[in-house]
Amino acid sequence: MDTAKTIPVADNDGGTPATDQTAQSSGTCRIWVENESEFSADNISLMSHNFQHHPLLQLDQLEALAHRLLPQKQCRFINPGAKQNSDFIHHAESPDGRDLSDVFRNISQPGSWVALYNAEADPKYAGLVREALSSVEHLVDRTQPGIFSPQAFIFISAPPSVTPFHIDRENNFWLQIHGRKIMNVWDSHDRNIIPASTVENFIVDKSLHDVNLRDEFMEARHEWDLGPGEGVYFPSTSPHSTRTETSWVTDQDAVSVSIGIVFYTEKTRRDAYIHSFNRLIRKLGVVPKFPGSSRFEALKLLFGRGVVRIKKQLRGYEPPTGF
């Protein structure tokens, strides 16, 4: 693991925690953190959960969901052989031309990778997302109140497989459901990893063009080998990537399933408008301060809202979700 930073993972091997027993006996699933007083929605944190027991997250139900999402192009596929430093490009059709049923029949084939985007578009899975966030909303509200636009992204893969280095606009409760996965996350506040101008381009126009993993970044990563019942929270624009390895595979455990329960808050919305203003004045030769570090934050927010409004009226700009 080189010099990767680690945070201790709660020990789930010595029996089921009382919180897990309560959740199962009441017929609900939940997310929890060992020490709630240390949790902040602005920082990376390890989590525990029991969503591996949720009936909607079993492979047969996920295959049925995939068929429902496929017509809306929300079932996505990645090119075989992707690496952590590859461009994160995914497609609405399997790269080898197989139909979805065949993909799932062979989902344990090495290198398989399927993602189910916006699972919350399905009413059953919208309920699952609400169930998950209801257990942690009180934690998020302390530092980032006003959760909105919750979504779910589900990843199904067979070792060896990779989700390349990238950033997202949402805050993320990332939960490992079945199998194992190595998760790498970098600090969202580290401008050496993702420069401010790159964050602005991504927030405003969804551009990942300059989001690139370099070898020298690896020493700054947090890395965990996670199994069912374990997870990681990381805030908006935290760089991250995942991988699975063939050394883990057994006859009973050949497929990895994980889910990202993602959402926006009033803080992420405020930051998005400030990024819009910062991006404009950067083009005029000004080097602006990152959201949260300027004494003119309220004024920048006001002007940022104006920038987005004018772009919508004059250029037909459609802001990404989160504004």
Side-chain angles (χ1 to χ4, degrees):
M1 219 182 274
D2 304 327
T3 57
K5 301 174 183 177
T6 59
I7 299 174
V9 179
D11 183 4
N12 290 334
D13 295 331
T16 305
T19 48
D20 197 9
Q21 292 174 340
T22 301
Q24 289 187 54
S25 64
S26 65
T28 62
C29 291
R30 61 191 299 269
I31 306 168
W32 65 90
V33 59
E34 186 173 357
N35 189 339
E36 291 194 354
S37 65
E38 295 181 357
F39 178 85
S40 168
D42 298 323
N43 299 315
I44 301 166
S45 178
L46 280 168
M47 315 297 297
S48 297
H49 68 91
N50 62 344
F51 275 87
Q52 69 271 26
H53 303 299
H54 201 293
L56 290 178
L57 294 177
Q58 310 313 309
L59 271 177
D60 59 338
Q61 292 298 310
L62 294 176
E63 180 177 0
L65 173 65
H67 281 279
R68 297 196 294 273
L69 295 178
L70 188 65
Q72 287 77 45
K73 301 187 184 300
Q74 292 167 260
C75 185
R76 311 295 295 183
F77 306 86
I78 199 169
N79 288 331
K83 297 179 171 54
Q84 283 187 294
N85 60 358
S86 299
D87 291 337
F88 188 22
I89 300 173
H90 41 81
H91 312 277
E93 297 180 356
S94 176
D96 54 14
R98 291 183 296 160
D99 65 32
L100 188 58
S101 295
D102 189 40
V103 169
F104 271 89
R105 272 195 302 271
N106 297 280
I107 197 63
S108 61
Q109 180 178 326
S112 296
W113 192 100
V114 179
L116 309 182
Y117 278 26
N118 295 109
E120 81 290 343
D122 185 278
K124 292 181 180 179
Y125 287 84
L128 184 152
V129 172
R130 289 192 297 271
E131 183 178 357
L133 286 179
S134 68
S135 62
V136 287
E137 187 171 8
H138 68 289
L139 297 176
V140 175
D141 277 350
R142 291 192 317 219
T143 48
Q144 290 197 34
I147 289 176
F148 69 96
S149 294
Q151 301 168 331
F153 298 85
I154 302 171
F155 299 89
I156 307 163
S157 60
S161 60
V162 164
T163 300
F165 179 86
H166 66 288
I167 58 177
D168 297 315
R169 295 186 307 282
E170 315 91 349
N171 295 338
N172 193 332
F173 283 100
W174 185 92
L175 313 178
Q176 185 66 16
I177 303 299
H178 304 298
R180 303 200 67 81
K181 186 168 282 185
I182 291 177
M183 166 62 84
N184 287 160
V185 185
W186 285 259
D187 186 354
S188 64
H189 306 98
D190 190 340
R191 302 278 68 84
N192 292 318
I193 305 296
I194 306 291
S197 58
T198 300
V199 176
E200 293 160 11
N201 291 336
F202 175 68
I203 294 295
V204 176
D205 286 333
K206 301 188 288 187
S207 172
L208 287 170
H209 178 70
D210 295 321
V211 179
N212 301 310
L213 176 62
R214 301 205 297 263
D215 289 343
E216 59 265 32
F217 294 170
M218 296 306 289
E219 290 188 358
R221 76 194 187 278
H222 300 274
E223 179 171 283
W224 305 276
D225 175 354
L226 301 175
E230 299 172 339
V232 182
Y233 168 82
F234 48 92
S236 171
T237 70
S238 297
H240 56 285
S241 67
T242 69
R243 70 183 190 274
T244 59
E245 298 186 351
T246 54
S247 59
W248 302 328
V249 175
T250 66
D251 291 340
Q252 295 78 30
D253 198 18
V255 177
S256 170
V257 176
S258 55
I259 181 170
I261 305 290
V262 306
F263 59 95
Y264 301 89
T265 65
E266 287 305 317
K267 178 183 182 298
T268 64
R269 193 198 318 257
R270 184 184 71 235
D271 288 353
Y273 283 116
I274 293 172
H275 282 307
S276 297
F277 177 72
N278 283 353
R279 186 173 188 244
L280 174 64
I281 63 173
R282 189 182 298 278
K283 291 180 178 180
L284 300 176
V286 178
V287 180
K289 290 188 176 181
F290 204 78
S293 57
S294 171
R295 60 194 176 110
F296 301 110
E297 204 90 328
L299 195 58
K300 293 173 73 172
L301 172 60
L302 180 65
F303 282 125
R305 289 183 185 276
V307 168
V308 172
R309 188 182 310 114
I310 291 169
K311 287 173 63 177
K312 289 169 68 174
Q313 292 173 347
L314 300 183
R315 293 171 44 190
Y317 172 63
E318 291 292 337
T321 304
F323 278 85

mmCIF file of all heavy atoms in Angstrom, residues 13 157 159 161 174 176-183 224-228 230 243-245 248 253-257:
data_model
loop_
_atom_site.group_PDB
_atom_site.id
_atom_site.type_symbol
_atom_site.label_atom_id
_atom_site.label_comp_id
_atom_site.label_asym_id
_atom_site.label_seq_id
_atom_site.Cartn_x
_atom_site.Cartn_y
_atom_site.Cartn_z
ATOM 1 N N ASP A 13 -15.908 -8.307 12.068
ATOM 2 C CA ASP A 13 -15.691 -9.750 12.053
ATOM 3 C C ASP A 13 -16.054 -10.420 13.360
ATOM 4 O O ASP A 13 -16.207 -11.635 13.422
ATOM 5 C CB ASP A 13 -14.212 -10.063 11.725
ATOM 6 C CG ASP A 13 -13.846 -9.633 10.316
ATOM 7 O OD1 ASP A 13 -14.742 -9.627 9.463
ATOM 8 O OD2 ASP A 13 -12.668 -9.325 10.106
ATOM 9 N N SER A 157 -19.187 -5.505 -11.080
ATOM 10 C CA SER A 157 -17.976 -5.829 -11.833
ATOM 11 C C SER A 157 -17.381 -7.141 -11.345
ATOM 12 O O SER A 157 -17.686 -7.604 -10.248
ATOM 13 C CB SER A 157 -16.940 -4.710 -11.695
ATOM 14 O OG SER A 157 -16.580 -4.528 -10.338
ATOM 15 N N PRO A 159 -13.535 -9.077 -10.996
ATOM 16 C CA PRO A 159 -12.088 -8.844 -11.057
ATOM 17 C C PRO A 159 -11.470 -9.509 -12.281
ATOM 18 O O PRO A 159 -11.922 -10.582 -12.687
ATOM 19 C CB PRO A 159 -11.583 -9.493 -9.767
ATOM 20 C CG PRO A 159 -12.783 -9.562 -8.868
ATOM 21 C CD PRO A 159 -13.944 -9.769 -9.769
ATOM 22 N N SER A 161 -11.062 -5.469 -12.581
ATOM 23 C CA SER A 161 -11.801 -4.372 -13.211
ATOM 24 C C SER A 161 -11.455 -3.072 -12.505
ATOM 25 O O SER A 161 -11.008 -3.074 -11.358
ATOM 26 C CB SER A 161 -13.310 -4.627 -13.161
ATOM 27 O OG SER A 161 -13.748 -4.741 -11.820
ATOM 28 N N TRP A 174 -20.560 5.989 -0.332
ATOM 29 C CA TRP A 174 -20.202 4.868 -1.201
ATOM 30 C C TRP A 174 -20.165 3.596 -0.356
ATOM 31 O O TRP A 174 -19.397 3.494 0.600
ATOM 32 C CB TRP A 174 -18.848 5.147 -1.853
ATOM 33 C CG TRP A 174 -18.405 4.138 -2.858
ATOM 34 C CD1 TRP A 174 -18.613 4.155 -4.202
ATOM 35 C CD2 TRP A 174 -17.662 2.944 -2.583
ATOM 36 N NE1 TRP A 174 -18.058 3.042 -4.783
ATOM 37 C CE2 TRP A 174 -17.473 2.283 -3.810
ATOM 38 C CE3 TRP A 174 -17.159 2.367 -1.413
ATOM 39 C CZ2 TRP A 174 -16.777 1.079 -3.904
ATOM 40 C CZ3 TRP A 174 -16.471 1.165 -1.509
ATOM 41 C CH2 TRP A 174 -16.283 0.540 -2.748
ATOM 42 N N GLN A 176 -19.966 -0.684 -0.106
ATOM 43 C CA GLN A 176 -19.660 -1.969 -0.721
ATOM 44 C C GLN A 176 -20.737 -2.971 -0.311
ATOM 45 O O GLN A 176 -21.018 -3.151 0.871
ATOM 46 C CB GLN A 176 -18.272 -2.453 -0.298
ATOM 47 C CG GLN A 176 -17.820 -3.728 -0.976
ATOM 48 C CD GLN A 176 -17.614 -3.566 -2.485
ATOM 49 O OE1 GLN A 176 -17.524 -2.454 -2.990
ATOM 50 N NE2 GLN A 176 -17.565 -4.683 -3.203
ATOM 51 N N ILE A 177 -21.341 -3.630 -1.308
ATOM 52 C CA ILE A 177 -22.498 -4.497 -1.075
ATOM 53 C C ILE A 177 -22.123 -5.978 -1.133
ATOM 54 O O ILE A 177 -22.425 -6.749 -0.218
ATOM 55 C CB ILE A 177 -23.606 -4.196 -2.105
ATOM 56 C CG1 ILE A 177 -23.997 -2.714 -2.049
ATOM 57 C CG2 ILE A 177 -24.826 -5.091 -1.863
ATOM 58 C CD1 ILE A 177 -24.545 -2.240 -0.722
ATOM 59 N N HIS A 178 -21.474 -6.399 -2.204
ATOM 60 C CA HIS A 178 -21.053 -7.798 -2.360
ATOM 61 C C HIS A 178 -19.621 -7.820 -2.884
ATOM 62 O O HIS A 178 -19.186 -6.909 -3.593
ATOM 63 C CB HIS A 178 -21.960 -8.548 -3.343
ATOM 64 C CG HIS A 178 -23.406 -8.522 -2.994
ATOM 65 N ND1 HIS A 178 -23.905 -9.078 -1.836
ATOM 66 C CD2 HIS A 178 -24.472 -7.985 -3.643
ATOM 67 C CE1 HIS A 178 -25.212 -8.896 -1.789
ATOM 68 N NE2 HIS A 178 -25.584 -8.229 -2.866
ATOM 69 N N GLY A 179 -18.890 -8.879 -2.570
ATOM 70 C CA GLY A 179 -17.517 -8.995 -3.018
ATOM 71 C C GLY A 179 -16.632 -7.951 -2.332
ATOM 72 O O GLY A 179 -16.982 -7.385 -1.295
ATOM 73 N N ARG A 180 -15.486 -7.692 -2.934
ATOM 74 C CA ARG A 180 -14.542 -6.732 -2.370
ATOM 75 C C ARG A 180 -14.159 -5.705 -3.427
ATOM 76 O O ARG A 180 -14.266 -5.951 -4.633
ATOM 77 C CB ARG A 180 -13.282 -7.436 -1.856
ATOM 78 C CG ARG A 180 -13.551 -8.517 -0.822
ATOM 79 C CD ARG A 180 -12.312 -8.828 -0.010
ATOM 80 N NE ARG A 180 -11.933 -7.692 0.831
ATOM 81 C CZ ARG A 180 -12.503 -7.415 2.008
ATOM 82 N NH1 ARG A 180 -13.482 -8.159 2.474
ATOM 83 N NH2 ARG A 180 -12.096 -6.372 2.710
ATOM 84 N N LYS A 181 -13.683 -4.570 -2.961
ATOM 85 C CA LYS A 181 -13.220 -3.538 -3.879
ATOM 86 C C LYS A 181 -12.201 -2.669 -3.150
ATOM 87 O O LYS A 181 -12.354 -2.381 -1.968
ATOM 88 C CB LYS A 181 -14.398 -2.694 -4.367
ATOM 89 C CG LYS A 181 -14.041 -1.679 -5.443
ATOM 90 C CD LYS A 181 -15.297 -1.092 -6.082
ATOM 91 C CE LYS A 181 -15.901 -2.054 -7.096
ATOM 92 N NZ LYS A 181 -17.056 -1.446 -7.802
ATOM 93 N N ILE A 182 -11.152 -2.262 -3.875
ATOM 94 C CA ILE A 182 -10.192 -1.300 -3.337
ATOM 95 C C ILE A 182 -10.630 0.090 -3.775
ATOM 96 O O ILE A 182 -10.813 0.359 -4.965
ATOM 97 C CB ILE A 182 -8.770 -1.593 -3.826
ATOM 98 C CG1 ILE A 182 -8.266 -2.906 -3.199
ATOM 99 C CG2 ILE A 182 -7.825 -0.448 -3.471
ATOM 100 C CD1 ILE A 182 -6.891 -3.329 -3.671
ATOM 101 N N MET A 183 -10.841 0.943 -2.794
ATOM 102 C CA MET A 183 -11.255 2.324 -3.044
ATOM 103 C C MET A 183 -10.098 3.267 -2.754
ATOM 104 O O MET A 183 -9.479 3.196 -1.697
ATOM 105 C CB MET A 183 -12.453 2.670 -2.161
ATOM 106 C CG MET A 183 -12.790 4.151 -2.070
ATOM 107 S SD MET A 183 -13.253 4.898 -3.643
ATOM 108 C CE MET A 183 -14.998 4.483 -3.712
ATOM 109 N N TRP A 224 -8.397 1.911 0.794
ATOM 110 C CA TRP A 224 -8.998 0.884 1.638
ATOM 111 C C TRP A 224 -9.405 -0.318 0.790
ATOM 112 O O TRP A 224 -9.878 -0.160 -0.341
ATOM 113 C CB TRP A 224 -10.256 1.395 2.344
ATOM 114 C CG TRP A 224 -10.064 2.646 3.139
ATOM 115 C CD1 TRP A 224 -9.604 2.757 4.414
ATOM 116 C CD2 TRP A 224 -10.329 3.985 2.716
ATOM 117 N NE1 TRP A 224 -9.566 4.067 4.808
ATOM 118 C CE2 TRP A 224 -10.011 4.845 3.782
ATOM 119 C CE3 TRP A 224 -10.823 4.543 1.527
ATOM 120 C CZ2 TRP A 224 -10.156 6.223 3.706
ATOM 121 C CZ3 TRP A 224 -10.971 5.914 1.439
ATOM 122 C CH2 TRP A 224 -10.638 6.733 2.522
ATOM 123 N N ASP A 225 -9.240 -1.492 1.359
ATOM 124 C CA ASP A 225 -9.764 -2.735 0.789
ATOM 125 C C ASP A 225 -11.060 -3.025 1.548
ATOM 126 O O ASP A 225 -11.032 -3.392 2.722
ATOM 127 C CB ASP A 225 -8.719 -3.843 0.982
ATOM 128 C CG ASP A 225 -9.212 -5.214 0.536
ATOM 129 O OD1 ASP A 225 -10.400 -5.341 0.180
ATOM 130 O OD2 ASP A 225 -8.412 -6.172 0.571
ATOM 131 N N LEU A 226 -12.198 -2.849 0.884
ATOM 132 C CA LEU A 226 -13.487 -2.873 1.563
ATOM 133 C C LEU A 226 -14.334 -4.075 1.144
ATOM 134 O O LEU A 226 -14.327 -4.480 -0.027
ATOM 135 C CB LEU A 226 -14.261 -1.589 1.260
ATOM 136 C CG LEU A 226 -13.565 -0.278 1.673
ATOM 137 C CD1 LEU A 226 -14.390 0.909 1.199
ATOM 138 C CD2 LEU A 226 -13.346 -0.236 3.166
ATOM 139 N N GLY A 227 -15.077 -4.612 2.112
ATOM 140 C CA GLY A 227 -15.985 -5.710 1.870
ATOM 141 C C GLY A 227 -17.404 -5.341 2.239
ATOM 142 O O GLY A 227 -17.686 -4.203 2.637
ATOM 143 N N PRO A 228 -18.340 -6.287 2.144
ATOM 144 C CA PRO A 228 -19.743 -6.000 2.455
ATOM 145 C C PRO A 228 -19.903 -5.424 3.864
ATOM 146 O O PRO A 228 -19.269 -5.877 4.813
ATOM 147 C CB PRO A 228 -20.403 -7.379 2.350
ATOM 148 C CG PRO A 228 -19.517 -8.140 1.414
ATOM 149 C CD PRO A 228 -18.124 -7.669 1.697
ATOM 150 N N GLU A 230 -19.097 -2.321 4.627
ATOM 151 C CA GLU A 230 -18.147 -1.223 4.795
ATOM 152 C C GLU A 230 -18.361 -0.186 3.702
ATOM 153 O O GLU A 230 -18.861 -0.496 2.617
ATOM 154 C CB GLU A 230 -16.710 -1.746 4.760
ATOM 155 C CG GLU A 230 -16.415 -2.738 5.876
ATOM 156 C CD GLU A 230 -15.072 -3.421 5.749
ATOM 157 O OE1 GLU A 230 -14.514 -3.460 4.633
ATOM 158 O OE2 GLU A 230 -14.573 -3.914 6.775
ATOM 159 N N ARG A 243 -10.793 -0.383 -7.866
ATOM 160 C CA ARG A 243 -10.335 -1.540 -8.635
ATOM 161 C C ARG A 243 -10.688 -2.818 -7.876
ATOM 162 O O ARG A 243 -10.850 -2.810 -6.653
ATOM 163 C CB ARG A 243 -8.838 -1.473 -8.906
ATOM 164 C CG ARG A 243 -7.940 -1.664 -7.709
ATOM 165 C CD ARG A 243 -6.463 -1.504 -8.098
ATOM 166 N NE ARG A 243 -5.562 -1.899 -7.030
ATOM 167 C CZ ARG A 243 -5.159 -1.078 -6.048
ATOM 168 N NH1 ARG A 243 -5.597 0.177 -5.996
ATOM 169 N NH2 ARG A 243 -4.317 -1.515 -5.113
ATOM 170 N N THR A 244 -10.814 -3.903 -8.615
ATOM 171 C CA THR A 244 -10.978 -5.231 -8.026
ATOM 172 C C THR A 244 -9.843 -6.108 -8.522
ATOM 173 O O THR A 244 -9.287 -5.869 -9.606
ATOM 174 C CB THR A 244 -12.323 -5.860 -8.423
ATOM 175 O OG1 THR A 244 -12.392 -5.956 -9.863
ATOM 176 C CG2 THR A 244 -13.495 -5.017 -7.920
ATOM 177 N N GLU A 245 -9.487 -7.119 -7.747
ATOM 178 C CA GLU A 245 -8.329 -7.956 -8.071
ATOM 179 C C GLU A 245 -8.702 -9.431 -8.065
ATOM 180 O O GLU A 245 -9.535 -9.878 -7.255
ATOM 181 C CB GLU A 245 -7.200 -7.681 -7.071
ATOM 182 C CG GLU A 245 -6.703 -6.233 -7.126
ATOM 183 C CD GLU A 245 -5.494 -5.980 -6.243
ATOM 184 O OE1 GLU A 245 -5.136 -6.869 -5.447
ATOM 185 O OE2 GLU A 245 -4.912 -4.882 -6.343
ATOM 186 N N TRP A 248 -8.860 -12.175 -4.983
ATOM 187 C CA TRP A 248 -9.944 -12.299 -4.016
ATOM 188 C C TRP A 248 -10.967 -13.368 -4.400
ATOM 189 O O TRP A 248 -11.785 -13.788 -3.593
ATOM 190 C CB TRP A 248 -10.726 -10.983 -3.921
ATOM 191 C CG TRP A 248 -9.942 -9.803 -3.550
ATOM 192 C CD1 TRP A 248 -8.841 -9.741 -2.734
ATOM 193 C CD2 TRP A 248 -10.180 -8.459 -3.974
ATOM 194 N NE1 TRP A 248 -8.401 -8.452 -2.626
ATOM 195 C CE2 TRP A 248 -9.193 -7.650 -3.369
ATOM 196 C CE3 TRP A 248 -11.139 -7.870 -4.791
ATOM 197 C CZ2 TRP A 248 -9.136 -6.277 -3.569
ATOM 198 C CZ3 TRP A 248 -11.086 -6.504 -4.986
ATOM 199 C CH2 TRP A 248 -10.093 -5.723 -4.390
ATOM 200 N N ASP A 253 -17.890 -15.880 -4.464
ATOM 201 C CA ASP A 253 -17.681 -14.438 -4.312
ATOM 202 C C ASP A 253 -16.874 -13.903 -5.489
ATOM 203 O O ASP A 253 -15.777 -13.401 -5.329
ATOM 204 C CB ASP A 253 -16.940 -14.180 -2.994
ATOM 205 C CG ASP A 253 -17.071 -12.734 -2.541
ATOM 206 O OD1 ASP A 253 -17.969 -12.039 -3.033
ATOM 207 O OD2 ASP A 253 -16.272 -12.319 -1.690
ATOM 208 N N ALA A 254 -17.463 -14.018 -6.706
ATOM 209 C CA ALA A 254 -16.732 -13.644 -7.912
ATOM 210 C C ALA A 254 -17.169 -12.306 -8.484
ATOM 211 O O ALA A 254 -16.598 -11.844 -9.471
ATOM 212 C CB ALA A 254 -16.908 -14.734 -8.977
ATOM 213 N N VAL A 255 -18.176 -11.682 -7.887
ATOM 214 C CA VAL A 255 -18.717 -10.429 -8.418
ATOM 215 C C VAL A 255 -18.724 -9.382 -7.315
ATOM 216 O O VAL A 255 -19.090 -9.667 -6.172
ATOM 217 C CB VAL A 255 -20.149 -10.631 -8.968
ATOM 218 C CG1 VAL A 255 -20.729 -9.314 -9.457
ATOM 219 C CG2 VAL A 255 -20.151 -11.656 -10.101
ATOM 220 N N SER A 256 -18.312 -8.169 -7.662
ATOM 221 C CA SER A 256 -18.344 -7.042 -6.734
ATOM 222 C C SER A 256 -19.528 -6.144 -7.077
ATOM 223 O O SER A 256 -19.762 -5.832 -8.247
ATOM 224 C CB SER A 256 -17.043 -6.241 -6.835
ATOM 225 O OG SER A 256 -17.135 -5.029 -6.115
ATOM 226 N N VAL A 257 -20.279 -5.748 -6.050
ATOM 227 C CA VAL A 257 -21.379 -4.796 -6.218
ATOM 228 C C VAL A 257 -21.178 -3.666 -5.210
ATOM 229 O O VAL A 257 -20.959 -3.917 -4.021
ATOM 230 C CB VAL A 257 -22.758 -5.455 -5.993
ATOM 231 C CG1 VAL A 257 -23.870 -4.404 -6.086
ATOM 232 C CG2 VAL A 257 -22.992 -6.577 -7.000
#
